[in-house]
Amino acid sequence: MSENKIPYKIYLEENEIPKAWYNMRADMKNKPAPLLNPGTLEPMKAEELSGVFCEELVAQELDNDTAYFEIPKEIRDYYKMYRPSPLMRAYRLEEKLGTPAKIYYKFEGNNTSGSHKLNSAIAQAYYAKKQGLKGVTTETGAGQWGTALSMACAYFGLDCKVYMVKVSYEQKPFRREVMRTYGASVTPSPSMETAIGRKILEKHPGTTGSLGCAISEAVEVATTNEGYRYVLGSVLNQVLLHQSVIGLETKAALDKYGIKADMIIGCAGGGSNLGGLIAPFMGEKLRGEKDYRIIAVEPASCPSFTRGTFAYDFCDTGMVCPLAKMYTLGSDFIPAPNHAGGLRYHGMSSILSQLYADGYMEAVSVKQTDVFEAAEQFARTEGILPAPESSHAIKAAIDEALKCKETGEEKTIVFGLTGTGYFDMVAYEKFHEGEMSDYIPTDEEIAKNIANLPKVE
Amino acid sequence: MSENKIPYKIYLEENEIPKAWYNMRADMKNKPAPLLNPGTLEPMKAEELSGVFCEELVAQELDNDTAYFEIPKEIRDYYKMYRPSPLMRAYRLEEKLGTPAKIYYKFEGNNTSGSHKLNSAIAQAYYAKKQGLKGVTTETGAGQWGTALSMACAYFGLDCKVYMVKVSYEQKPFRREVMRTYGASVTPSPSMETAIGRKILEKHPGTTGSLGCAISEAVEVATTNEGYRYVLGSVLNQVLLHQSVIGLETKAALDKYGIKADMIIGCAGGGSNLGGLIAPFMGEKLRGEKDYRIIAVEPASCPSFTRGTFAYDFCDTGMVCPLAKMYTLGSDFIPAPNHAGGLRYHGMSSILSQLYADGYMEAVSVKQTDVFEAAEQFARTEGILPAPESSHAIKAAIDEALKCKETGEEKTIVFGLTGTGYFDMVAYEKFHEGEMSDYIPTDEEIAKNIANLPKVE
């Protein structure tokens, strides 16, 4: 098909939704390091993990060898409500930039959760239902993950208990209300409902909470209530597996039109979107079949890839979860209060960390005001209002397209547009009002946190 | 194609986006009554209207004979960013209801404006640009129309001045911020920027504004500034023309799969969505080719079709705009403060009013708490979080589907899902908290307003 026949939106057919998720680990020579028991520092066994997570998800978490996991029909049926998602050709942005580059973006925001998080939420809810559980617990910060999980639980008739960081609960009442519309109970964390919550409130009566504390409460409720398990929206191997549906569809759409990508760009917080988007491309690269530049984009204010250390660390600030080997800024690291652009996790998926350490990926960090400038330019040309997280990828894609303008190269850039910014207007407002700054942690601050990493040989 | 092959989402191809809008007036035996000059009570001439509206839009407004208007390439190119919109089969809702009815909905919320309003905004901005104007002015209440217009103006590089009802400006800062992201200037109305605004503020210093006042300010700015015109997002004939793209796509998708609709259901405020959705179906009905039940759904708290009068009335509370013959509750009518579900316009499109008067359409009114209950049921089964406006159509579609359950009839129901509810969470919160009531105006209240209608023979 000739180049000028490529539509603005490439939609696959319903029967082209992938039938299996792809597990990058199967093609990695150096497998990601195992999770460690925080008490014994021994690799976590399935039996230990299955008190916290659903059994089939534990199996997915630990499986470094199976390349493809069949997507159950029930999950594929749900996917049909919002998938395949469109691969968009950014004709207008290209024109605006005056670049010879060809820019594509995979848009995951066309569902009520507003992001790609639903791809894994529906899978995790399905396995919980299949195991006969009553419900699941989780934490949420900004609320994308909590919303996605609420939708998935409503669909399968599961109880959904969300612990929402108190400051977000109060500042983002609309997110909370969306979750309630889907029948979830949303509790501001720390709460008096859990032992850990009561302990924290006793010690810090006025605290507005943290993600680490919310995780601890959600895990406590899951492990002390019959018929409940805990679920998580990023970082884990199982989540990257589910999110591979993004990359598989992207590749199918490109292949359909005979398009070869030169580079794949995604934003990276815990790695769920990036790991999903790049999966099949990375697979080809790992198997030596094709080459691509694969670029992770992170905020300069929370630069785990570009300034962190590759080491074992706690996944949560409460230090109740297993240790993971990853690029980390230390589990005490918290981005500066002015940081409004999401992607604030201190660590990074173990899979992506290993791939980065082995030289299969690049990483760049971008400043927050540059990110919002790119977001606004994108909104005005392409119409879609992007989430701040997604806008990190937009910024990097624009930078690469402008390099092509200088060199005259007609490269094909594919980036992930993970979601929409409807619930992020407070951040946009700060940007419009000139109240947004670009605080970047000093070397001393980062070194101080990293000095506290747990000692694992 | 066999019934069980119908996908969850029917997407048309990009080259199946309609190439012309359809003008129902061409097939109406009784044409809608002309707009009248509020001073002379004579039909408005093109010359009079062109001081307020763009020339090509005036021509479209007054043309009762041309059946098809070619959609300019520039508008079709923009449509490609978010159109064709999907026609969804509500398999899950059908299953939940246990109905033999087949339910389809045309989903217009997959664009950043969150609603169908963009279909006309981009057309109106295009004609303004083509005429060489500097910019356009408008009013907005809840903000859907203002957002759509901001997006369209950003695309064509037009200045966009939005007068936003002050109470909405303060209560909906996120909507305001989206408009600013697209480069619009948003002014709370009444403002000190206009003569009418200053006059109103002098008389009522603490007023939180009204749509009528915002219209007056927007019209004043358009008519007193070189290179500006006023644009409006509903009610007008030109708007229904542009919105016919919804119905044309719906019909093309149904035809593609050999589906014959039995009834078409749409919510009705000013009539822009309903008039667009039903256009080609009504055309067939007017020409005697096919028959459909066509059902307008309005809030019981603002029942212009079901309890209003068919007469000439002012289109705005400020009485500066032309008079239109329509079903109206009187231009002073304001829904009860508790009304949270949109569709609060006192009148109705002249075209739809004439069709209703001539028996081509039915109308029902629904209570607000029933609407939100239907909205929540829809969200939990179909995933999409609907706008309150759209949820009126959902409620009526569910009612019809439940009737089919009783009678065992396998009717095919098509309704318009005009938009998403991301910016309406305050209303959902009221519903969740049990703070929502169902005030319905008394006969006396309606009679009092209607008694004040302007005297036109």
Side-chain angles (χ1 to χ4, degrees):
Chain A
M1 203 168 289
S2 79
E3 177 69 27
N4 59 18
K5 288 280 181 60
I6 292 169
Y8 285 75
K9 298 183 299 298
I10 304 179
Y11 274 112
L12 298 171
E13 301 289 323
E14 212 157 88
N15 59 22
E16 293 173 293
I17 292 177
K19 293 179 180 57
W21 294 303
Y22 166 63
N23 180 11
M24 283 188 282
R25 286 168 285 166
D27 286 310
M28 288 169 71
K29 281 190 204 88
N30 298 326
K31 307 294 182 188
L35 295 171
L36 299 187
N37 182 308
T40 64
L41 298 186
E42 291 296 315
M44 292 288 283
K45 298 192 193 75
E47 310 84 80
E48 295 173 287
L49 286 170
S50 63
V52 180
F53 299 116
C54 303
E55 282 159 29
E56 292 215 37
L57 293 168
V58 170
Q60 293 176 0
E61 188 65 29
L62 298 177
D63 192 330
N64 284 340
D65 304 306
T66 306
Y68 288 93
F69 285 82
E70 192 185 327
I71 306 176
K73 182 181 175 301
E74 291 82 352
I75 298 174
R76 285 167 45 81
D77 275 351
Y78 190 89
Y79 278 171
K80 286 177 189 170
M81 290 207 293
Y82 69 102
R83 307 203 69 82
S85 70
L87 180 70
M88 313 281 292
R89 174 74 184 266
Y91 282 117
R92 289 173 185 75
L93 182 62
E94 292 170 17
E95 194 185 322
K96 188 85 175 179
L97 298 173
T99 177
K102 294 170 181 64
I103 307 176
Y104 294 86
Y105 55 96
K106 178 70 167 170
F107 181 42
E108 290 288 318
N110 268 355
N111 70 74
T112 290
S113 81
S115 82
H116 66 293
K117 295 282 183 187
L118 194 54
N119 301 328
S120 184
I122 191 66
Q124 297 193 45
Y126 166 76
Y127 290 115
K129 184 70 180 178
K130 195 179 163 200
Q131 196 174 321
L133 299 178
K134 283 187 212 152
V136 292
T137 70
T138 199
E139 79 292 333
T140 201
Q144 281 184 342
W145 168 246
T147 307
L149 190 67
S150 305
M151 292 173 67
C153 287
Y155 182 64
F156 285 121
L158 280 170
D159 187 33
C160 179
K161 295 183 190 296
V162 180
Y163 290 83
M164 189 170 186
V165 179
K166 192 178 275 174
V167 60
S168 297
Y169 182 91
E170 284 161 4
Q171 288 181 357
K172 294 203 162 189
F174 296 168
R175 271 285 184 200
R176 179 189 77 205
E177 221 46 47
V178 176
M179 290 183 255
R180 287 175 72 190
T181 300
Y182 287 91
S185 75
V186 187
T187 307
S189 168
S191 76
M192 293 299 284
E193 290 180 9
T194 65
I196 184 86
R198 289 188 292 272
K199 196 170 147 191
I200 291 169
L201 283 171
E202 197 179 319
K203 211 166 155 187
H204 309 284
T207 181
T208 54
S210 72
L211 210 51
C213 167
I215 292 177
S216 304
E217 290 203 82
V219 171
E220 179 185 323
V221 172
T223 50
T224 56
N225 282 274
E226 184 71 26
Y228 282 80
R229 291 293 184 282
Y230 168 70
V231 296
L232 180 64
S234 190
V235 183
L236 297 173
N237 298 341
Q238 59 188 268
V239 176
L240 267 69
L241 178 69
H242 305 150
Q243 294 295 357
S244 70
V245 69
I246 305 173
L248 292 163
E249 279 185 13
T250 303
K251 190 158 184 318
L254 291 172
D255 289 350
K256 196 169 182 172
Y257 285 86
I259 303 159
K260 163 74 171 67
D262 293 301
M263 63 189 96
I264 322 283
I265 299 174
C267 62
S272 68
N273 151 66
L274 182 68
L277 174 67
I278 67 173
F281 304 98
M282 184 60 86
E284 290 185 318
K285 193 165 174 169
L286 287 165
R287 296 189 301 271
E289 296 164 5
K290 278 192 190 162
D291 198 19
Y292 304 94
R293 282 183 65 199
I294 293 179
I295 307 172
V297 192
E298 57 186 16
S301 53
C302 190
S304 42
F305 267 141
T306 51
R307 296 176 67 198
T309 292
F310 188 38
Y312 266 107
D313 194 8
F314 289 98
C315 290
D316 61 321
T317 43
M319 303 183 183
V320 298
C321 293
L323 279 73
K325 190 174 177 192
M326 56 186 177
Y327 279 87
T328 179
L329 297 162
S331 64
D332 289 336
F333 182 85
I334 294 173
N338 192 270
H339 177 67
L343 307 175
R344 49 177 66 243
Y345 188 60
H346 67 276
M348 181 59 64
S349 144
S350 287
I351 296 175
L352 295 183
S353 293
Q354 189 63 51
L355 290 167
Y356 182 62
D358 291 345
Y360 287 101
M361 286 170 50
E362 306 166 39
V364 294
S365 73
V366 289
K367 288 193 299 178
Q368 134 162 307
T369 52
D370 291 345
V371 165
F372 277 84
E373 204 174 291
E376 194 162 276
Q377 181 173 28
F378 184 83
R380 293 184 186 185
T381 48
E382 289 290 315
I384 297 168
L385 182 77
E389 293 84 352
S390 324
S391 304
H392 288 73
I394 296 173
K395 168 62 182 158
I398 289 175
D399 285 348
E400 291 293 336
L402 291 176
K403 281 185 210 160
C404 288
K405 187 178 182 177
E406 279 179 32
T407 62
E409 290 173 291
E410 292 186 23
K411 293 203 172 153
T412 296
I413 301 169
V414 176
F415 73 89
L417 190 72
T418 56
T420 49
Y422 300 120
F423 293 100
D424 299 289
M425 296 321 295
V426 171
Y428 273 94
E429 185 173 14
K430 274 191 188 172
F431 174 66
H432 294 147
E433 299 293 343
E435 291 166 4
M436 185 172 271
S437 72
D438 284 311
Y439 183 81
I440 294 172
T442 63
D443 289 341
E444 290 68 31
E445 283 173 300
I446 289 178
K448 187 178 133 251
N449 272 295
I450 287 175
N452 291 329
L453 289 186
K455 303 290 172 273
V456 180
E457 76 288 346
Chain B
M1 201 168 289
S2 80
E3 178 69 26
N4 59 19
K5 288 282 181 57
I6 292 170
Y8 286 74
K9 298 183 298 296
I10 304 179
Y11 273 112
L12 299 172
E13 301 289 323
E14 212 158 87
N15 59 20
E16 292 173 293
I17 293 177
K19 293 180 179 57
W21 294 302
Y22 167 64
N23 180 11
M24 283 187 282
R25 288 168 284 167
D27 287 310
M28 289 168 71
K29 280 190 205 88
N30 298 326
K31 307 294 181 187
L35 295 171
L36 299 187
N37 182 309
T40 64
L41 299 185
E42 292 295 316
M44 292 288 283
K45 297 193 193 77
E47 309 85 80
E48 295 172 288
L49 286 169
S50 63
V52 180
F53 298 116
C54 303
E55 281 158 29
E56 292 214 37
L57 293 168
V58 169
Q60 293 176 359
E61 189 65 29
L62 298 177
D63 192 330
N64 284 341
D65 304 306
T66 306
Y68 288 94
F69 285 81
E70 192 186 327
I71 306 177
K73 182 180 176 301
E74 291 81 353
I75 298 174
R76 284 168 45 82
D77 275 350
Y78 191 90
Y79 278 171
K80 287 177 189 170
M81 291 207 292
Y82 69 102
R83 308 204 68 82
S85 70
L87 181 70
M88 313 280 291
R89 173 73 184 267
Y91 283 117
R92 290 173 185 75
L93 182 62
E94 291 169 18
E95 194 186 320
K96 189 85 176 178
L97 297 173
T99 177
K102 295 172 180 63
I103 308 175
Y104 294 86
Y105 55 97
K106 178 71 168 170
F107 181 41
E108 291 288 317
N110 267 354
N111 71 72
T112 290
S113 81
S115 81
H116 66 293
K117 295 282 182 187
L118 194 54
N119 300 328
S120 184
I122 192 65
Q124 297 193 46
Y126 166 75
Y127 291 115
K129 185 70 181 179
K130 195 179 165 202
Q131 196 173 321
L133 298 177
K134 283 186 211 154
V136 293
T137 70
T138 200
E139 78 292 334
T140 201
Q144 282 184 342
W145 168 246
T147 306
L149 190 67
S150 304
M151 291 173 67
C153 287
Y155 182 64
F156 285 121
L158 279 171
D159 187 33
C160 179
K161 295 182 191 298
V162 179
Y163 289 83
M164 188 169 186
V165 178
K166 191 179 277 176
V167 61
S168 297
Y169 182 92
E170 284 160 4
Q171 288 182 357
K172 294 202 163 190
F174 296 168
R175 270 285 186 202
R176 179 190 78 203
E177 221 45 49
V178 177
M179 290 184 254
R180 288 175 70 190
T181 300
Y182 287 91
S185 75
V186 187
T187 306
S189 168
S191 76
M192 294 299 284
E193 290 179 10
T194 64
I196 184 87
R198 288 188 293 271
K199 196 171 147 190
I200 290 169
L201 283 171
E202 196 179 319
K203 211 167 157 187
H204 310 285
T207 180
T208 54
S210 72
L211 210 50
C213 168
I215 293 176
S216 304
E217 290 203 81
V219 170
E220 179 185 323
V221 172
T223 50
T224 56
N225 281 274
E226 183 71 25
Y228 282 81
R229 291 294 184 282
Y230 169 71
V231 296
L232 180 65
S234 191
V235 183
L236 296 174
N237 297 342
Q238 60 188 266
V239 176
L240 268 68
L241 177 69
H242 305 150
Q243 295 294 358
S244 70
V245 70
I246 304 173
L248 291 163
E249 281 186 11
T250 303
K251 190 159 184 316
L254 292 172
D255 289 350
K256 196 169 182 172
Y257 285 86
I259 304 159
K260 163 73 171 68
D262 293 301
M263 63 190 95
I264 322 282
I265 299 174
C267 63
S272 68
N273 151 66
L274 181 68
L277 174 67
I278 67 173
F281 304 98
M282 183 59 86
E284 290 185 320
K285 192 165 176 170
L286 288 164
R287 296 189 300 271
E289 296 164 5
K290 280 193 189 161
D291 198 19
Y292 303 95
R293 282 183 65 199
I294 294 179
I295 307 171
V297 192
E298 57 185 17
S301 52
C302 191
S304 42
F305 268 140
T306 51
R307 297 176 66 200
T309 292
F310 189 35
Y312 266 106
D313 193 8
F314 290 97
C315 290
D316 62 321
T317 43
M319 304 184 182
V320 298
C321 293
L323 280 75
K325 190 175 177 192
M326 55 186 178
Y327 280 88
T328 179
L329 297 161
S331 64
D332 288 335
F333 183 85
I334 293 173
N338 192 270
H339 177 66
L343 308 174
R344 47 176 67 242
Y345 189 60
H346 68 276
M348 183 58 66
S349 144
S350 287
I351 295 175
L352 296 182
S353 293
Q354 189 64 50
L355 289 167
Y356 183 62
D358 291 344
Y360 287 101
M361 285 169 51
E362 307 165 38
V364 295
S365 73
V366 289
K367 287 194 299 178
Q368 137 161 303
T369 53
D370 291 344
V371 165
F372 278 84
E373 204 174 292
E376 195 161 276
Q377 181 172 31
F378 184 82
R380 292 184 187 186
T381 48
E382 289 291 313
I384 295 168
L385 181 77
E389 293 84 352
S390 323
S391 303
H392 289 73
I394 295 174
K395 167 63 181 158
I398 289 176
D399 286 349
E400 291 293 336
L402 291 176
K403 281 185 211 162
C404 288
K405 188 178 181 176
E406 280 178 31
T407 61
E409 289 174 291
E410 292 187 23
K411 292 203 172 152
T412 297
I413 301 169
V414 176
F415 74 87
L417 190 72
T418 55
T420 49
Y422 300 120
F423 292 100
D424 299 290
M425 296 321 295
V426 171
Y428 273 94
E429 186 173 13
K430 274 191 187 172
F431 173 68
H432 295 147
E433 299 293 343
E435 292 167 5
M436 186 171 273
S437 71
D438 283 311
Y439 184 81
I440 294 173
T442 63
D443 289 341
E444 291 68 30
E445 282 171 300
I446 290 178
K448 187 179 133 251
N449 273 294
I450 287 175
N452 291 329
L453 290 185
K455 302 289 172 274
V456 180
E457 77 288 346

